[in-house]
Amino acid sequence: MLGYRVDRQRRALEVVPEEAGIVKLVFELYERTLSMALTAQRLNARGLTLRTRVAEDGTTRGRPFNKNAVHRLLRNPLYVGKVRHNDDLFLGEHEPIIDPDMFERVQRTLDLRAAGAGTRRPRRSESLLTGLLRCLPCDAAMSTSHAYNHKKQRYRYYRCRASQEGLRCPTGLLNANDVEAAVVAQVKALAKSGALREPILATLAEGDEGEAELVATKDRLEARITELGAEAKRLLGAFSSVDAGGRLLAERLGELERETDKHRAGVADLERRLRACAALRTEGEHVAKLLDAFDEVWDALVPEERREVLRALIERVGVDPESGTLRVTFHEPAPPPSTQPTTEAAP
């Protein structure tokens, strides 16, 4: 079963982290595409397979995904920590891989489509630069639309919103296919040169250093909390057996409790920042891998995924046809969370 292996000593299912990532991706892709065939196609295009087996000659082999494999995986209750017995489901002892809310959404979608009652995802604009493209002469956003020529052929174009409001704009209508191809070509060239990848890797390295500082600070706070707890335990023993000085002991216990609460709040803040570091690292690594093989990945993406990729990389695209300007501004890598140490009281 993709995502799990059997721990024969414990007689229990154990999560295989690398395979669990593929299982999560299957659910995410299906929610995006609403198509088991497209989901299988996207997985195969990324070089992912069903469980890899090692042959006698030492080579590894894995079966490609198909519609049936995707369907079986999406329907399997094991992934939300349940086991089936006859027609009933029971809570299992293994760790779930998929969030129950996502699993239920997918089940409802599959049920509706199997019954013929499901509605397909509304057709969105296939224009890649909606929300990114701006007319430089007017400093205005450009929206997308389409029209038909005398041969009833459909073509897409971008139009400055200033002109739609009755203002004079020198840009006119831009052929959507041409401007999109020019932007994608620029992204591909920079991805190939490494110019986009290098700042991402630099930011990841900076984040790794900051994360190490946060972990060290968290360890110190937790050690101090343990010390305070031990001291409080000793004082409680003394308080129960000694009448004299009871008030002073009670005051010290109050101080220990206040300091412990302060450090616990500090630990909670550090854990939040560490989660942010982990999320940043995961996103950065994902984008860096995408840029390493941008041509192959781009060709394998569906239109909605292509829009998501461009929005992840590009902040805005400025265009001025009269001067022949096409200015693509890329996002700066997100800075790592603040590594300013949480205030630590001296022991």
Side-chain angles (χ1 to χ4, degrees):
M1 175 59 61
L2 189 69
Y4 293 103
R5 60 170 164 251
V6 178
D7 185 331
R8 299 191 182 281
Q9 290 185 340
R10 299 195 313 69
R11 290 187 172 183
L13 290 177
E14 184 179 64
V15 173
V16 181
E18 299 81 7
E19 294 182 1
I22 298 175
V23 172
K24 292 177 182 178
L25 182 60
V26 173
F27 278 82
E28 291 169 3
L29 287 175
Y30 180 74
E31 283 209 304
R32 290 183 196 171
T33 63
L34 294 181
S35 166
M36 285 177 282
L38 279 177
T39 297
Q41 183 181 342
R42 299 286 82 78
L43 293 165
N44 293 330
R46 298 182 190 202
L48 301 175
T49 62
L50 296 167
R51 175 159 287 168
T52 301
R53 300 185 183 277
V54 181
E56 292 182 359
D57 59 2
T59 58
T60 57
R61 298 173 183 171
R63 290 185 295 112
F65 282 90
N66 56 36
K67 284 178 59 176
N68 291 335
V70 170
H71 183 264
R72 286 195 300 272
L73 192 149
L74 294 173
R75 285 293 198 185
N76 197 328
L78 277 177
Y79 294 123
V80 283
K82 296 181 179 180
V83 293
R84 188 183 300 280
H85 180 68
N86 296 327
D87 293 330
D88 298 319
L89 290 177
F90 301 91
L91 189 63
E93 297 180 356
H94 60 285
E95 179 183 350
I97 293 175
I98 299 300
D99 177 77
D101 290 340
M102 172 180 276
F103 188 81
E104 287 304 317
R105 288 197 306 270
V106 168
Q107 302 317 300
R108 286 196 296 270
T109 301
L110 290 170
D111 290 341
L112 286 170
R113 294 173 75 82
T119 56
R120 292 188 177 271
R121 179 169 296 183
R123 180 189 178 104
R124 296 183 181 179
S125 169
E126 63 269 47
S127 300
L128 299 178
L129 302 179
T130 301
L132 297 176
L133 193 63
R134 296 188 69 84
C135 170
L136 289 177
C138 300
D139 190 26
M142 300 193 73
S143 59
T144 182
S145 188
H146 67 272
Y148 294 89
N149 60 20
H150 64 283
K151 295 181 180 179
K152 296 186 178 180
Q153 295 173 319
R154 182 176 179 272
Y155 65 94
R156 296 182 299 113
Y157 61 85
Y158 290 98
R159 183 182 181 186
C160 176
R161 288 187 179 173
S163 66
Q164 297 176 30
E165 296 171 1
L167 302 176
R168 185 177 180 278
C169 171
T171 298
L173 304 182
L174 295 181
N175 184 290
N177 291 331
D178 292 345
V179 69
E180 289 167 2
V183 170
V184 172
Q186 194 171 141
V187 174
K188 287 184 176 181
L190 289 172
K192 189 174 183 178
S193 71
L196 293 177
R197 190 174 184 269
E198 289 172 4
I200 293 174
L201 295 180
T203 301
L204 288 177
E206 181 184 348
D208 288 341
E209 294 177 4
E211 189 171 1
E213 293 180 20
L214 292 176
V215 170
T217 303
K218 179 173 175 284
D219 289 343
R220 288 195 296 272
L221 288 182
E222 289 179 336
R224 181 57 180 158
I225 290 171
T226 300
E227 293 174 5
L228 294 171
E231 183 179 349
K233 187 175 181 180
R234 289 194 300 271
L235 288 175
L236 283 171
F239 185 75
S240 62
S241 59
V242 179
D243 293 333
R247 182 176 61 81
L248 294 176
L249 288 172
E251 289 178 356
R252 179 55 181 158
L253 284 171
E255 292 173 359
L256 292 175
E257 184 176 356
R258 287 190 292 273
E259 186 179 348
T260 299
D261 288 343
K262 177 181 178 181
H263 289 324
R264 283 176 178 157
V267 168
D269 178 63
L270 289 166
E271 289 176 341
R272 177 188 59 78
R273 284 193 258 172
L274 284 169
R275 288 194 296 271
C277 283
L280 177 63
R281 183 175 62 253
T282 299
E283 180 64 20
E285 289 172 350
H286 173 70
V287 174
K289 289 179 181 178
L290 184 153
L291 293 173
D292 281 341
F294 189 84
D295 282 357
E296 296 85 348
V297 172
W298 182 261
D299 292 339
L301 299 178
V302 296
E304 183 174 341
E305 292 171 323
R306 290 182 174 184
R307 284 192 295 274
E308 291 177 3
V309 168
L310 291 185
R311 279 158 180 71
L313 296 174
I314 296 174
E315 181 177 343
R316 59 179 286 174
V317 177
V319 62
D320 181 1
E322 287 192 330
S323 63
T325 301
L326 179 65
R327 188 181 304 153
V328 181
T329 303
F330 293 90
H331 288 297
E332 293 291 331
S338 171
T339 57
Q340 288 297 319
T342 300
T343 303
E344 298 180 65

